[in-house]
mmCIF file with all atom_site columns, all heavy atoms in Angstrom:
data_model
loop_
_atom_site.group_PDB
_atom_site.id
_atom_site.type_symbol
_atom_site.label_atom_id
_atom_site.label_alt_id
_atom_site.label_comp_id
_atom_site.label_asym_id
_atom_site.label_entity_id
_atom_site.label_seq_id
_atom_site.pdbx_PDB_ins_code
_atom_site.Cartn_x
_atom_site.Cartn_y
_atom_site.Cartn_z
_atom_site.occupancy
_atom_site.B_iso_or_equiv
_atom_site.pdbx_formal_charge
_atom_site.auth_seq_id
_atom_site.auth_comp_id
_atom_site.auth_asym_id
_atom_site.auth_atom_id
_atom_site.pdbx_PDB_model_num
ATOM 1   N N   . ILE A 1 122 ? -12.036 32.878 19.684 1.00 0.00 ? 122 ILE A N   1
ATOM 2   C CA  . ILE A 1 122 ? -11.263 33.272 20.798 1.00 0.00 ? 122 ILE A CA  1
ATOM 3   C C   . ILE A 1 122 ? -10.007 32.441 20.898 1.00 0.00 ? 122 ILE A C   1
ATOM 4   O O   . ILE A 1 122 ? -10.116 31.186 20.863 1.00 0.00 ? 122 ILE A O   1
ATOM 5   C CB  . ILE A 1 122 ? -12.037 33.256 22.148 1.00 0.00 ? 122 ILE A CB  1
ATOM 6   C CG1 . ILE A 1 122 ? -13.189 34.280 22.090 1.00 0.00 ? 122 ILE A CG1 1
ATOM 7   C CG2 . ILE A 1 122 ? -11.156 33.457 23.323 1.00 0.00 ? 122 ILE A CG2 1
ATOM 8   C CD1 . ILE A 1 122 ? -14.517 33.761 21.672 1.00 0.00 ? 122 ILE A CD1 1
ATOM 9   N N   . SER A 1 123 ? -8.823  33.075 21.040 1.00 0.00 ? 123 SER A N   1
ATOM 10  C CA  . SER A 1 123 ? -7.599  32.307 21.299 1.00 0.00 ? 123 SER A CA  1
ATOM 11  C C   . SER A 1 123 ? -6.710  33.135 22.200 1.00 0.00 ? 123 SER A C   1
ATOM 12  O O   . SER A 1 123 ? -6.996  34.357 22.401 1.00 0.00 ? 123 SER A O   1
ATOM 13  C CB  . SER A 1 123 ? -6.926  32.000 20.029 1.00 0.00 ? 123 SER A CB  1
ATOM 14  O OG  . SER A 1 123 ? -6.439  33.203 19.382 1.00 0.00 ? 123 SER A OG  1
ATOM 15  N N   . GLY A 1 124 ? -5.647  32.569 22.725 1.00 0.00 ? 124 GLY A N   1
ATOM 16  C CA  . GLY A 1 124 ? -4.706  33.349 23.523 1.00 0.00 ? 124 GLY A CA  1
ATOM 17  C C   . GLY A 1 124 ? -4.393  32.740 24.858 1.00 0.00 ? 124 GLY A C   1
ATOM 18  O O   . GLY A 1 124 ? -4.278  31.561 25.023 1.00 0.00 ? 124 GLY A O   1
ATOM 19  N N   . MET A 1 125 ? -4.285  33.591 25.899 1.00 0.00 ? 125 MET A N   1
ATOM 20  C CA  . MET A 1 125 ? -3.876  33.164 27.230 1.00 0.00 ? 125 MET A CA  1
ATOM 21  C C   . MET A 1 125 ? -4.698  33.935 28.259 1.00 0.00 ? 125 MET A C   1
ATOM 22  O O   . MET A 1 125 ? -5.048  35.119 28.053 1.00 0.00 ? 125 MET A O   1
ATOM 23  C CB  . MET A 1 125 ? -2.432  33.510 27.393 1.00 0.00 ? 125 MET A CB  1
ATOM 24  C CG  . MET A 1 125 ? -1.516  32.885 26.331 1.00 0.00 ? 125 MET A CG  1
ATOM 25  S SD  . MET A 1 125 ? 0.149   33.620 26.392 1.00 0.00 ? 125 MET A SD  1
ATOM 26  C CE  . MET A 1 125 ? 0.809   32.934 24.859 1.00 0.00 ? 125 MET A CE  1
ATOM 27  N N   . ILE A 1 126 ? -5.139  33.343 29.317 1.00 0.00 ? 126 ILE A N   1
ATOM 28  C CA  . ILE A 1 126 ? -4.965  31.985 29.764 1.00 0.00 ? 126 ILE A CA  1
ATOM 29  C C   . ILE A 1 126 ? -6.337  31.280 29.480 1.00 0.00 ? 126 ILE A C   1
ATOM 30  O O   . ILE A 1 126 ? -7.405  31.898 29.680 1.00 0.00 ? 126 ILE A O   1
ATOM 31  C CB  . ILE A 1 126 ? -4.625  31.942 31.252 1.00 0.00 ? 126 ILE A CB  1
ATOM 32  C CG1 . ILE A 1 126 ? -3.304  32.774 31.533 1.00 0.00 ? 126 ILE A CG1 1
ATOM 33  C CG2 . ILE A 1 126 ? -4.550  30.543 31.781 1.00 0.00 ? 126 ILE A CG2 1
ATOM 34  C CD1 . ILE A 1 126 ? -3.040  32.952 33.073 1.00 0.00 ? 126 ILE A CD1 1
ATOM 35  N N   . THR A 1 127 ? -6.272  29.995 29.147 1.00 0.00 ? 127 THR A N   1
ATOM 36  C CA  . THR A 1 127 ? -7.544  29.219 28.744 1.00 0.00 ? 127 THR A CA  1
ATOM 37  C C   . THR A 1 127 ? -8.652  29.496 29.728 1.00 0.00 ? 127 THR A C   1
ATOM 38  O O   . THR A 1 127 ? -9.748  29.858 29.320 1.00 0.00 ? 127 THR A O   1
ATOM 39  C CB  . THR A 1 127 ? -7.197  27.745 28.715 1.00 0.00 ? 127 THR A CB  1
ATOM 40  O OG1 . THR A 1 127 ? -6.109  27.514 27.826 1.00 0.00 ? 127 THR A OG1 1
ATOM 41  C CG2 . THR A 1 127 ? -8.444  26.963 28.250 1.00 0.00 ? 127 THR A CG2 1
ATOM 42  N N   . ASN A 1 128 ? -8.399  29.182 31.029 1.00 0.00 ? 128 ASN A N   1
ATOM 43  C CA  . ASN A 1 128 ? -9.475  29.187 32.013 1.00 0.00 ? 128 ASN A CA  1
ATOM 44  C C   . ASN A 1 128 ? -9.612  30.593 32.724 1.00 0.00 ? 128 ASN A C   1
ATOM 45  O O   . ASN A 1 128 ? -10.402 30.635 33.685 1.00 0.00 ? 128 ASN A O   1
ATOM 46  C CB  . ASN A 1 128 ? -9.236  28.138 33.065 1.00 0.00 ? 128 ASN A CB  1
ATOM 47  C CG  . ASN A 1 128 ? -7.902  28.267 33.768 1.00 0.00 ? 128 ASN A CG  1
ATOM 48  O OD1 . ASN A 1 128 ? -6.826  28.426 33.081 1.00 0.00 ? 128 ASN A OD1 1
ATOM 49  N ND2 . ASN A 1 128 ? -7.879  28.193 35.062 1.00 0.00 ? 128 ASN A ND2 1
ATOM 50  N N   . VAL A 1 129 ? -8.944  31.557 32.277 1.00 0.00 ? 129 VAL A N   1
ATOM 51  C CA  . VAL A 1 129 ? -9.067  32.902 32.892 1.00 0.00 ? 129 VAL A CA  1
ATOM 52  C C   . VAL A 1 129 ? -9.557  33.860 31.811 1.00 0.00 ? 129 VAL A C   1
ATOM 53  O O   . VAL A 1 129 ? -10.802 33.974 31.639 1.00 0.00 ? 129 VAL A O   1
ATOM 54  C CB  . VAL A 1 129 ? -7.737  33.342 33.496 1.00 0.00 ? 129 VAL A CB  1
ATOM 55  C CG1 . VAL A 1 129 ? -7.925  34.691 34.190 1.00 0.00 ? 129 VAL A CG1 1
ATOM 56  C CG2 . VAL A 1 129 ? -7.169  32.344 34.442 1.00 0.00 ? 129 VAL A CG2 1
ATOM 57  N N   . CYS A 1 130 ? -8.729  34.578 31.168 1.00 0.00 ? 130 CYS A N   1
ATOM 58  C CA  . CYS A 1 130 ? -9.219  35.630 30.196 1.00 0.00 ? 130 CYS A CA  1
ATOM 59  C C   . CYS A 1 130 ? -9.868  35.069 28.973 1.00 0.00 ? 130 CYS A C   1
ATOM 60  O O   . CYS A 1 130 ? -10.864 35.647 28.466 1.00 0.00 ? 130 CYS A O   1
ATOM 61  C CB  . CYS A 1 130 ? -8.076  36.507 29.792 1.00 0.00 ? 130 CYS A CB  1
ATOM 62  S SG  . CYS A 1 130 ? -7.491  37.468 31.246 1.00 0.00 ? 130 CYS A SG  1
ATOM 63  N N   . CYS A 1 131 ? -9.422  33.905 28.491 1.00 0.00 ? 131 CYS A N   1
ATOM 64  C CA  . CYS A 1 131 ? -10.134 33.292 27.333 1.00 0.00 ? 131 CYS A CA  1
ATOM 65  C C   . CYS A 1 131 ? -11.503 32.890 27.677 1.00 0.00 ? 131 CYS A C   1
ATOM 66  O O   . CYS A 1 131 ? -12.491 33.163 26.973 1.00 0.00 ? 131 CYS A O   1
ATOM 67  C CB  . CYS A 1 131 ? -9.294  32.162 26.760 1.00 0.00 ? 131 CYS A CB  1
ATOM 68  S SG  . CYS A 1 131 ? -7.734  32.683 26.027 1.00 0.00 ? 131 CYS A SG  1
ATOM 69  N N   . GLU A 1 132 ? -11.636 32.158 28.838 1.00 0.00 ? 132 GLU A N   1
ATOM 70  C CA  . GLU A 1 132 ? -12.909 31.680 29.206 1.00 0.00 ? 132 GLU A CA  1
ATOM 71  C C   . GLU A 1 132 ? -13.852 32.830 29.559 1.00 0.00 ? 132 GLU A C   1
ATOM 72  O O   . GLU A 1 132 ? -15.050 32.791 29.176 1.00 0.00 ? 132 GLU A O   1
ATOM 73  C CB  . GLU A 1 132 ? -12.806 30.720 30.434 1.00 0.00 ? 132 GLU A CB  1
ATOM 74  C CG  . GLU A 1 132 ? -14.173 30.168 30.887 1.00 0.00 ? 132 GLU A CG  1
ATOM 75  C CD  . GLU A 1 132 ? -14.040 29.108 31.961 1.00 0.00 ? 132 GLU A CD  1
ATOM 76  O OE1 . GLU A 1 132 ? -12.909 28.689 32.301 1.00 0.00 ? 132 GLU A OE1 1
ATOM 77  O OE2 . GLU A 1 132 ? -15.080 28.749 32.525 1.00 0.00 ? 132 GLU A OE2 1
ATOM 78  N N   . THR A 1 133 ? -13.394 33.753 30.318 1.00 0.00 ? 133 THR A N   1
ATOM 79  C CA  . THR A 1 133 ? -14.235 34.893 30.745 1.00 0.00 ? 133 THR A CA  1
ATOM 80  C C   . THR A 1 133 ? -14.723 35.627 29.535 1.00 0.00 ? 133 THR A C   1
ATOM 81  O O   . THR A 1 133 ? -15.934 36.010 29.524 1.00 0.00 ? 133 THR A O   1
ATOM 82  C CB  . THR A 1 133 ? -13.461 35.898 31.676 1.00 0.00 ? 133 THR A CB  1
ATOM 83  O OG1 . THR A 1 133 ? -12.921 35.113 32.779 1.00 0.00 ? 133 THR A OG1 1
ATOM 84  C CG2 . THR A 1 133 ? -14.286 36.996 32.156 1.00 0.00 ? 133 THR A CG2 1
ATOM 85  N N   . THR A 1 134 ? -13.847 35.955 28.608 1.00 0.00 ? 134 THR A N   1
ATOM 86  C CA  . THR A 1 134 ? -14.309 36.634 27.373 1.00 0.00 ? 134 THR A CA  1
ATOM 87  C C   . THR A 1 134 ? -15.305 35.816 26.641 1.00 0.00 ? 134 THR A C   1
ATOM 88  O O   . THR A 1 134 ? -16.279 36.382 26.103 1.00 0.00 ? 134 THR A O   1
ATOM 89  C CB  . THR A 1 134 ? -13.033 36.939 26.514 1.00 0.00 ? 134 THR A CB  1
ATOM 90  O OG1 . THR A 1 134 ? -12.132 37.785 27.147 1.00 0.00 ? 134 THR A OG1 1
ATOM 91  C CG2 . THR A 1 134 ? -13.448 37.627 25.188 1.00 0.00 ? 134 THR A CG2 1
ATOM 92  N N   . THR A 1 135 ? -15.098 34.563 26.556 1.00 0.00 ? 135 THR A N   1
ATOM 93  C CA  . THR A 1 135 ? -15.996 33.683 25.774 1.00 0.00 ? 135 THR A CA  1
ATOM 94  C C   . THR A 1 135 ? -17.368 33.608 26.490 1.00 0.00 ? 135 THR A C   1
ATOM 95  O O   . THR A 1 135 ? -18.441 33.639 25.740 1.00 0.00 ? 135 THR A O   1
ATOM 96  C CB  . THR A 1 135 ? -15.446 32.222 25.679 1.00 0.00 ? 135 THR A CB  1
ATOM 97  O OG1 . THR A 1 135 ? -14.169 32.282 25.001 1.00 0.00 ? 135 THR A OG1 1
ATOM 98  C CG2 . THR A 1 135 ? -16.375 31.300 24.895 1.00 0.00 ? 135 THR A CG2 1
ATOM 99  N N   . ARG A 1 136 ? -17.458 33.475 27.797 1.00 0.00 ? 136 ARG A N   1
ATOM 100 C CA  . ARG A 1 136 ? -18.726 33.496 28.488 1.00 0.00 ? 136 ARG A CA  1
ATOM 101 C C   . ARG A 1 136 ? -19.485 34.802 28.239 1.00 0.00 ? 136 ARG A C   1
ATOM 102 O O   . ARG A 1 136 ? -20.676 34.754 27.962 1.00 0.00 ? 136 ARG A O   1
ATOM 103 C CB  . ARG A 1 136 ? -18.467 33.333 29.977 1.00 0.00 ? 136 ARG A CB  1
ATOM 104 C CG  . ARG A 1 136 ? -18.083 31.961 30.456 1.00 0.00 ? 136 ARG A CG  1
ATOM 105 C CD  . ARG A 1 136 ? -17.742 32.002 31.890 1.00 0.00 ? 136 ARG A CD  1
ATOM 106 N NE  . ARG A 1 136 ? -17.392 30.645 32.444 1.00 0.00 ? 136 ARG A NE  1
ATOM 107 C CZ  . ARG A 1 136 ? -18.174 29.928 33.185 1.00 0.00 ? 136 ARG A CZ  1
ATOM 108 N NH1 . ARG A 1 136 ? -19.355 30.353 33.563 1.00 0.00 ? 136 ARG A NH1 1
ATOM 109 N NH2 . ARG A 1 136 ? -17.792 28.738 33.621 1.00 0.00 ? 136 ARG A NH2 1
ATOM 110 N N   . MET A 1 137 ? -18.789 35.900 28.248 1.00 0.00 ? 137 MET A N   1
ATOM 111 C CA  . MET A 1 137 ? -19.408 37.204 27.933 1.00 0.00 ? 137 MET A CA  1
ATOM 112 C C   . MET A 1 137 ? -19.903 37.289 26.476 1.00 0.00 ? 137 MET A C   1
ATOM 113 O O   . MET A 1 137 ? -20.942 37.783 26.269 1.00 0.00 ? 137 MET A O   1
ATOM 114 C CB  . MET A 1 137 ? -18.460 38.426 28.285 1.00 0.00 ? 137 MET A CB  1
ATOM 115 C CG  . MET A 1 137 ? -18.383 38.606 29.749 1.00 0.00 ? 137 MET A CG  1
ATOM 116 S SD  . MET A 1 137 ? -17.714 40.309 30.067 1.00 0.00 ? 137 MET A SD  1
ATOM 117 C CE  . MET A 1 137 ? -19.149 41.334 29.431 1.00 0.00 ? 137 MET A CE  1
#
Side-chain angles (χ1 to χ4, degrees):
I122 293 95
S123 66
M125 303 166 191
I126 303 170
T127 303
N128 57 311
V129 185
C130 294
C131 292
E132 181 176 352
T133 304
T134 298
T135 302
R136 285 172 179 257
M137 283 201 66

